[in-house]
C-alpha cells in the first residue's frame, strides 16, 4: 500500500474516531473493540519500511517513542472520558473537553517527533503512525472496559463513575 493510501486511512480513522467520541456510546466488552486496531496493525506491518535500514537504531527509538505517545494518548483519552451506568446495568461513555486537549497534545507530540526524525535524516513511514493509532485505540478501549467494571448501577437511578464513593475517598475530577 502506498504512503498516500496509508495517509488516507490514518485521516479517515482519526476523523471517525474523533467524531464518534463526543457522542454518547455504550461500552461493550465484545470483540468488536479489537477489529479497527487489528486492521491498522495488519496494514502497518504487511509492508517493509517501518524501520529505516540506514538508521536502524534511530528508527527503532523513534518507533518506540511513537508507541509510547500512542499509549499515553490512549490512557489520557480513557481517563478524560466520562462513564456512567444506567439502571439496566448498561455502561455508557462520552468524551469531555479534556479529551480534546489530550488529542491536541498527542498530535503535537507526534508532529514534533516527526520533525526530530527528519532532522536526524531518518526515513519515516506512515506505518509507525498506524501502529501508534492502533495502540491508542486499544489502550483507550481496554481502560474504559476496566473502568466500567467498577460501576454498579443502583436500581432506579443512573450512576456516574465515582458516585457513591465514601467521603474522603479518591474521586476523579474531569
Amino acid at each position: 500500500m502506498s504512503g498516500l493510501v496509508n495517509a488516507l486511512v490514518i485521516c479517515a480513522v482519526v476523523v471517525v474516531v474523533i467524531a464518534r467520541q463526543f457522542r454518547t456510546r455504550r461500552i461493550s466488552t465484545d470483540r468488536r473493540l479489537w477489529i479497527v486496531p487489528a486492521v491498522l496493525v495488519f496494514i502497518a506491518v504487511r509492508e517493509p519500511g517501518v524501520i529505516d535500514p540506514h538508521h536502524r537504531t534511530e528508527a527503532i527509538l523513534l518507533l518506540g517513542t511513537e508507541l509510547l505517545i500512542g499509549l499515553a494518548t490512549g490512557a489520557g483519552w480513557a481517563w478524560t472520558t466520562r462513564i456512567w451506568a444506567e439502571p439496566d446495568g448498561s455502561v455508557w461513555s462520552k468524551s469531555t473537553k479534556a479529551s480534546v486537549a489530550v488529542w491536541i497534545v498527542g498530535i503535537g507530540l507526534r508532529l514534533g517527533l516527526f520533525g526530530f526524525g527528519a532532522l536526524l535524516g531518518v526515513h519515516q513511514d506512515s506505518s509507525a503512525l498506524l501502529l501508534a493509532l492502533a495502540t491508542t485505540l486499544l489502550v483507550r478501549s481496554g481502560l474504559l472496559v476496566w473502568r466500567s467494571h467498577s460501576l454498579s448501577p443502583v436500581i432506579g437511578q443512573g450512576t456516574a463513575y465515582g458516585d457513591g464513593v465514601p467521603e474522603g475517598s479518591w474521586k476523579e475530577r474531569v
Side-chain angles (χ1 to χ4, degrees):
M1 211 182 275
S2 72
L4 177 62
V5 174
N6 281 355
L8 291 174
V9 168
I10 291 167
C11 288
V13 169
V14 168
V15 166
V16 167
V17 166
I18 290 175
R20 290 175 61 182
Q21 78 175 338
F22 289 101
R23 284 190 286 175
T24 302
R25 298 188 43 87
R26 185 177 183 173
I27 297 175
S28 65
T29 57
D30 62 6
R31 291 189 175 99
R32 288 184 300 163
L33 62 97
W34 304 100
I35 291 174
V36 173
V39 169
L40 292 174
V41 169
F42 175 76
I43 292 170
V45 299
R46 65 177 238 161
E47 289 189 30
V50 176
I51 304 297
D52 182 357
H54 303 293
H55 301 93
R56 206 164 183 68
T57 303
E58 294 89 348
I60 290 172
L61 288 172
L62 286 172
L63 177 61
T65 305
E66 180 77 30
L67 293 176
L68 286 174
I69 291 170
L71 185 119
T73 302
W77 183 17
W79 285 107
T80 58
T81 298
R82 182 179 182 275
I83 65 171
W84 67 94
E86 291 292 331
D88 64 359
S90 62
V91 180
W92 296 80
S93 70
K94 185 175 182 179
S95 290
T96 62
K97 292 177 185 176
S99 301
V100 174
V102 169
W103 271 97
I104 290 170
V105 169
I107 290 170
L109 288 171
R110 285 186 173 103
L111 288 173
L113 188 63
F114 182 79
F116 182 67
L119 283 173
L120 294 176
V122 178
H123 171 73
Q124 299 171 75
D125 197 278
S126 58
S127 298
L129 186 57
L130 286 170
L131 290 172
L133 186 55
T135 302
T136 299
L137 295 174
L138 280 174
V139 168
R140 182 206 186 240
S141 297
L143 281 174
L144 284 180
V145 168
W146 177 74
R147 284 180 60 202
S148 72
H149 291 298
S150 69
L151 297 177
S152 58
V154 176
I155 302 301
Q157 174 183 354
T159 307
Y161 182 75
D163 284 355
V165 176
E167 193 63 38
S169 297
W170 176 82
K171 184 174 179 181
E172 90 177 354
R173 303 277 184 226
V174 179

